[in-house]
Amino acid sequence: MLQIKNLTLQHKKDLRILLQDFSCVINTGDKVVIIGEEGNGKSTLLKWIYDESLVEDYIEAKGEKFCHHESLGYLPQELSETEKNMSTYQFFSMEPAFFDQSPKELGRLAGLFHLESDFLYGEQLMGTLSGGERVKACLLRLQIKNPTILLLDEPSNDLDLETLKWLEEMIDTTQQAVVFISHDETLIERTTNYIIHLEQVNRKRESRYKIWKGSYQDYLINRHAFFENQEQLFKNAKREQKKKDEKLQKILDKVERAQDTVSRQDPHSGQLLKKKMKTVKSMEKRFEREKEDMPQKMEMEEAMYLKLGQNAEKIANGKVVLEYSLEKLLSKGEARILATDIQLQIRGPEKIVIVGENGVGKTTLLEKMAEDLLQRKDIKTLYMPQNYEDLLDLSKNPIDFLDVSGTKEERTKIRTYLGALKFTADEMIHPMSDLSGGQKGKVLLLKLSLSDANVLILDEPTRNFSPLSGPVIRRLLADFPGVILSISHDRKYINEVCDVSYQLTKTGLIKLQ
């Protein structure tokens, strides 16, 4: 059993409270997902549960954690620089339990992750693996340790569709308690029975959390019904208060008119009016006290609002945007052939997604096609890579990064849009190295929105956005009037946004039905 009592997490830099008086109990077999918008402290909470020292540089933490007789296994969102420079064998050797396992057992575990047994003894550097291969390696090393509680920060990132299904089955069937963060709504819907929702409201000046024992779908229905009910209670109370205020004002006006007309020769009437006015003032004070107790409108942490393509030149239906042919797709170091005989034609305004196994070369192929499209003069292309830092200058703040003209009008517009994306005034001027992955993704999405691009090249566009933002992201991409060429393993994105799906194999692109 894992128990947390009265935990408060506060940023040391800006004193913002991420979590206040948080308590929960997690038992064997619980499948817990932590959800919330970007920057709300999900990863910080997971790190604190595993090892408080991981957050002590930037977080003031107060609270208690009890996990007697439990063994915690933690999957971070990113590898450290040291780990990236390790061979796969060195990486697995860092886990002492690796040497306690027989080669047969290690081979069996590797097979569960769709990896060859010699992968564990390889010389390839961890940093050169595909994103999905790195996640598999980290999960495999965790399972070798055999913890009783798994703490997984974005385990579904970059996994291919087949491995995602395996991850669902693993979470669903394991006897271990699993606490995870994910943006994959399908994974959440199919595995969880326990929701922890972290929110920041009132311009991130107030933290709030909700614990729900049950399915994700039921939680969303309950949440929607709760806020609808709160909205109705607020409207009813406001309507009743308005009636009382109007009644009070009528009495007050009547008494004041009588006072103006009363004769000085009629002191008795004057005394009566003074008593009446005192009664009215007493009533006014009582109504004011009632206002303090009336139901307040509860702020709901909304997903972001954004539009894409509003400045873009329309691409004619059927126009050939890309006619691509590649005899051999080589790995980045050109050490091996990833795929051969690649052919792809894109016509406007198609929305294309490329899927395929981890390590097959999807990102490498997308980068090559991006090189061609970005040089074209007849279309306007923007590229959103899987690794946001390839495009972002992390030393700049979001406003400076997005500002092209330097005019006061543009900077004001940028601030307005960032506010709509739930950035606080402080976050707008923080260096982007301080932002979460999802916040960096929002900055790039805003760059797309402010541009006149009519062709978007997107590598895993939904991977860092909360499941509550997911429907909004998918809707704005589905409504984009231009061409989208993308890679994704997000099943909802593939179904709701994309017109055509291709699978990249060693022998080229196969169009899926």
Side-chain angles (χ1 to χ4, degrees), residues 293-459:
D293 296 332
M294 71 179 285
Q296 298 299 306
K297 185 172 184 177
M298 284 194 70
E299 182 182 343
M300 183 176 185
E301 187 182 39
E302 300 282 2
M304 63 183 187
Y305 174 75
L306 199 64
K307 283 187 177 181
L308 294 178
Q310 50 195 343
N311 303 317
E313 182 181 341
K314 187 175 180 180
I315 294 179
N317 287 343
K319 175 183 176 177
V320 176
V321 175
L322 179 67
E323 191 83 54
Y324 193 79
S325 178
L326 187 64
E327 185 179 343
K328 293 179 182 178
L329 176 65
L330 301 176
S331 62
K332 290 183 180 179
E334 299 196 351
R336 58 194 176 105
I337 297 174
L338 298 172
T340 59
D341 192 27
I342 294 171
Q343 308 287 333
L344 179 64
Q345 184 184 78
I346 301 177
R347 294 179 177 273
E350 285 183 320
K351 294 177 174 61
I352 304 293
V353 65
I354 298 174
V355 301
E357 294 180 0
N358 293 131
V360 75
K362 300 184 296 298
T363 292
T364 303
L365 175 60
L366 199 70
E367 288 172 350
K368 287 186 173 295
M369 289 190 283
E371 288 175 9
D372 289 358
L373 289 167
L374 287 167
Q375 294 175 8
R376 295 262 296 274
K377 303 298 183 184
D378 60 323
I379 54 176
K380 299 289 182 67
T381 302
L382 275 181
Y383 176 41
M384 184 174 177
Q386 187 181 112
N387 183 7
Y388 301 148
E389 297 176 12
D390 291 346
L391 284 187
L392 296 174
D393 182 344
L394 298 184
S395 65
K396 287 186 174 182
N397 63 51
I399 296 173
D400 289 341
F401 173 76
L402 294 166
D403 184 12
V404 176
S405 68
T407 64
K408 182 180 179 181
E409 291 76 11
E410 181 172 23
R411 293 178 74 83
T412 299
K413 181 170 72 171
I414 290 169
R415 284 181 178 275
T416 301
Y417 278 117
L418 286 170
L421 296 178
K422 307 305 177 185
F423 281 76
T424 66
D426 285 338
E427 288 168 339
M428 294 179 196
I429 57 175
H430 280 176
M432 285 189 287
S433 57
D434 290 351
L435 301 181
S436 70
Q439 287 174 311
K440 292 171 186 173
K442 284 182 174 180
V443 171
L444 284 179
L445 272 180
L446 182 50
K447 184 177 179 66
L448 299 183
S449 176
L450 294 171
S451 77
D452 58 355
N454 53 11
V455 176
L456 303 182
I457 304 172
L458 311 174
D459 195 344

Side-chain angles (χ1 to χ4, degrees), residues 128-145:
T128 66
L129 297 176
S130 72
E133 287 172 322
R134 284 199 297 272
V135 172
K136 288 180 184 179
C138 293
L139 281 170
L140 176 52
R141 192 173 76 170
L142 267 190
Q143 288 294 47
I144 291 171
K145 180 183 177 182

Side-chain angles (χ1 to χ4, degrees), residues 476-501:
L476 72 90
L477 291 173
D479 292 341
F480 178 67
V483 167
I484 294 178
L485 173 59
S486 62
I487 294 169
S488 184
H489 301 123
D490 181 339
R491 288 155 286 187
K492 288 185 180 289
Y493 168 82
I494 293 169
N495 292 332
E496 296 176 19
V497 176
C498 302
D499 306 314
V500 185
S501 299

Side-chain angles (χ1 to χ4, degrees), residues 19-23 196-199 207-211:
L19 197 58
Q20 189 162 23
D21 294 329
F22 173 79
S23 298
I196 297 175
H197 185 180
L198 309 185
E199 293 185 273
S207 68
R208 189 167 74 196
Y209 75 88
K210 173 73 174 177
I211 290 177

